[in-house]
Amino acid sequence: MSAGSPPRRILVIGAVAGLLVFIVGVAVSVATEGVVWTTVSVTLQSLGSAVLFPILVSVAYDKLKERWLGDEVWRLFNELSDAGITRVYKDREFNSNQDNAQTRLSEEFLSHQSGEICIMGPTLRVFFNPLGPFYRDIERMLRNANGAVHMRALIERSDSPAVWERTSIEEPNLAAGQKPQTERDAESTIATVLNVCTTTGPYITLRRFIPAPYCTVVIFPTVAFFSPNILAPEAPVRLPMILFRSGSHGYRMLKASFDYLWGHTETLQVVP
């Protein structure tokens, strides 16, 4: 039954009443003669039809609509399942709803006890900023794992075209000789990673690369978090966070992209 329609009990009562009035009208036309009775018969049949048939049409429409929507839902579910998508959050920012992308990713870091994590993004500042939402989670994860977890991290090089593109859009009035914010964020990430490796252990390997995709990827052994992005005049862009299950096509493509960039030595800069 569609939203806003009367309760089913009222519709049933109305349909039964309409049917009875219609049948009485038919019975009057069969059992009696005369202009008066004919008028009564026609009136009763019209009244019964006016009540009964709209209800029947409404119920039939609702049933067909529910079935169509159900078919669409199952089609979308099957397509998402085939692609390996297990969840889509509207964006990767924190919000008042407990079930949000930032909280989910934090929980994934905290629950990860062994195995490799691959992480890639323009600067990864959101992950390696001591005041950011994930830094404490990552630090705690590495400390608790005591060597059972290792992270490979990729960020863009200072001479990457992506740096110039971001700067031209996000900081169009940057003074000559001044470092763009994206490069300062990258340097902050490098300093933080080196500090973590000194205080916690050599569990993060960081490299910089030129063909920087303007997106963020965090690949765990069981799930990959993918946040597409675009060059936009404001940040955060607030595009969806998509989760791919391990072994799916999307997961494999993200991992293959990371591995290609990681091993593309002529464009890499290994951070000591």
Side-chain angles (χ1 to χ4, degrees):
M1 203 65 61
S2 63
S5 60
R8 186 174 298 275
R9 183 179 178 182
I10 295 177
L11 291 178
V12 171
I13 294 174
V16 171
L19 179 60
L20 290 176
V21 172
F22 180 79
I23 292 174
V24 170
V26 173
V28 169
S29 67
V30 173
T32 60
E33 295 181 357
V35 176
V36 174
W37 289 111
T38 299
T39 303
V40 171
S41 172
V42 171
T43 301
L44 291 174
Q45 291 181 56
S46 300
L47 180 61
S49 299
V51 174
L52 176 63
F53 288 108
I55 294 176
L56 294 179
V57 171
S58 174
V59 171
Y61 171 79
D62 283 346
K63 289 295 183 184
L64 291 173
K65 184 178 180 181
E66 288 174 4
R67 181 175 179 181
W68 178 81
L69 289 175
D71 291 343
E72 284 296 298
V73 169
W74 278 109
R75 180 183 65 80
L76 291 173
F77 176 81
N78 289 331
E79 289 179 355
L80 292 174
S81 179
D82 291 342
I85 297 175
T86 61
R87 184 63 191 268
V88 178
Y89 292 94
K90 69 173 185 177
D91 59 54
R92 66 184 188 184
E93 307 303 319
F94 180 81
N95 59 57
S96 57
N97 182 5
Q98 187 176 1
D99 184 17
N100 60 81
Q102 182 175 305
T103 299
R104 173 69 182 273
L105 185 50
S106 291
E107 292 173 349
E108 198 70 36
F109 279 123
L110 292 173
S111 64
H112 188 68
Q113 299 178 351
S114 64
E116 183 181 69
I117 299 174
C118 300
I119 183 169
M120 171 173 63
T123 68
L124 297 181
R125 181 177 181 273
V126 70
F127 297 94
F128 296 110
N129 180 353
L131 299 179
F134 303 111
Y135 175 78
R136 297 301 177 190
D137 299 332
I138 293 174
E139 188 181 46
R140 179 179 172 187
M141 173 192 66
L142 295 175
R143 183 180 295 109
N144 291 343
N146 195 28
V149 173
H150 185 269
M151 298 185 71
R152 287 193 290 159
L154 280 172
I155 62 174
E156 62 193 8
R157 277 170 46 167
S158 58
D159 56 346
S160 169
V163 174
W164 179 86
E165 290 167 354
R166 286 189 66 175
T167 302
S168 64
I169 290 178
E170 297 177 0
E171 300 178 272
N173 301 317
L174 187 69
Q178 184 179 355
K179 283 187 179 181
Q181 183 63 50
T182 183
E183 176 58 16
R184 284 182 282 150
D185 288 345
E187 291 178 350
S188 174
T189 291
I190 294 170
T192 301
V193 168
L194 293 177
N195 181 65
V196 170
C197 289
T198 300
T199 59
T200 305
Y203 308 135
I204 304 177
T205 303
L206 178 64
R207 295 181 178 181
R208 306 187 71 177
F209 58 109
I210 286 182
Y214 202 67
C215 63
T216 301
V217 179
V218 186
I219 306 173
F220 293 88
T222 57
V223 63
F225 291 74
F226 171 62
S227 180
N229 216 327
I230 56 176
L231 286 167
E234 62 182 44
V237 181
R238 306 185 76 88
L239 287 172
M241 172 79 85
I242 305 170
L243 277 61
F244 292 91
R245 69 174 181 274
S246 176
S248 67
H249 175 74
Y251 183 98
R252 292 196 306 270
M253 292 300 99
L254 293 175
K255 185 63 165 57
S257 175
F258 183 94
D259 289 339
Y260 173 80
L261 292 170
W262 187 265
H264 218 59
T265 53
E266 63 269 27
T267 63
L268 280 175
Q269 174 187 348
V270 180
V271 178

